[in-house]
Amino acid sequence: LGDDVALTVAVTVTDADGSFSTATATHVVDVVPVADAPTVPAGSTSVDEDAETNFGTGVTYALVDGDGSEVVSAVTLTGFPAGSTVNWLSAPGATVTAVPGGFEITGSEAAIRATLDSFTYTPPADTDANVSLVVVVETTDSNGDTATITSSHDLLVSAIADAPTGSGSGAGNEDTAIPVPVTLGLSDTDGSESITQVDITAPAGVV
C-alpha cells in the first residue's frame, strides 16, 4: 500500500505542582509506492510437429499487490528458434514489438492478456525439437515504479510422421512379365524418419 499515513502526536508536560498541559500535532509519513514483482509459474504446452498450436493461454501470471495500485504493463516472450512461425491477434490497446529472439506485448493490462491468449507457435518444418521460452512479466505501480520477474514456458513438440512420396510406371507386351520400377522418397529428410513398409496392390488376374 503506497498511501501516506497521518500520525497524531500528543505531548504532555507535567509541572512539579501536578499541573500539566498537552499539545497535539499531525505528522505525515510519506510512503513511496514500490512495485511488487508478479508471480509467474513455469509452464508448458504440447505441440505437434508441423502444426500450429495455441500456447499463449498457458502462460499465466498474477499480481502480488492486489490493492489496485499496480498493473501488468508488459510481457516479453523470447527463445523462438529460427524457422519457427509465431502468430497472434493484437487486441485493441495492445502493441506487439519484435525484440531479439521474440516479442514484447505492451498496453493496458486487459489488452496484454487478450493478446497473449492469441499467441500460436508452429515449429520449423519437419522438426520435433522442444523449445524453452523465456517469459518476463513487468508490473508498474501508481507512481511509475516497475518490477519484473523471469520464468519459463516449454513448448513440447511431438514427432508426427510425414507421408512419403512414391511413383512408378512400366510398359511391355501382353502375357509377359513387365518390370514396374517404383521410386520412393521421404518428405522429411532430417534423418528422423525411415520407410518401414511398402504395399503394392494389383488388379485381379495380375501376377
Side-chain angles (χ1 to χ4, degrees):
L1 185 66
D3 296 335
D4 293 345
V5 178
L7 303 177
T8 299
V9 180
V11 179
T12 300
V13 177
T14 303
D15 206 333
D17 62 0
S19 63
F20 62 88
S21 177
T22 300
T24 62
T26 299
H27 183 77
V28 177
V29 178
D30 183 15
V31 179
V32 178
V34 176
D36 297 276
T39 59
V40 186
S44 64
T45 299
S46 296
V47 177
D48 284 340
E49 177 184 341
D50 296 329
E52 182 180 20
T53 303
N54 177 284
F55 72 91
T57 55
V59 179
T60 60
Y61 49 78
L63 290 171
V64 172
D65 187 341
D67 67 0
S69 64
E70 297 183 10
V71 295
V72 172
S73 50
V75 173
T76 304
L77 307 169
T78 56
F80 297 102
S84 63
T85 302
V86 181
N87 289 316
W88 67 87
L89 179 63
S90 294
T95 300
V96 179
T97 305
V99 297
F103 305 91
E104 180 186 51
I105 312 170
T106 57
S108 69
E109 186 170 22
I112 291 172
R113 181 69 260 181
T115 301
L116 178 58
D117 285 345
S118 74
F119 265 65
T120 65
Y121 173 77
T122 304
D126 301 327
T127 180
D128 60 354
N130 295 332
V131 175
S132 185
L133 299 178
V134 177
V135 180
V136 179
V137 180
E138 176 191 78
T139 56
T140 300
D141 211 323
S142 57
N143 67 337
D145 188 59
T146 61
T148 60
I149 191 168
T150 301
S151 187
S152 63
H153 190 85
D154 294 335
L155 303 176
L156 307 177
V157 183
S158 299
I160 303 295
D162 296 270
T165 60
S167 63
S169 63
N173 295 326
E174 179 183 353
D175 298 328
T176 62
I178 302 173
V180 183
V182 176
T183 301
L184 303 175
L186 291 170
S187 298
D188 184 342
T189 57
D190 65 359
S192 63
E193 298 183 8
S194 60
I195 296 174
T196 56
Q197 180 175 331
V198 177
D199 291 326
I200 298 176
T201 302
V206 176
V207 178

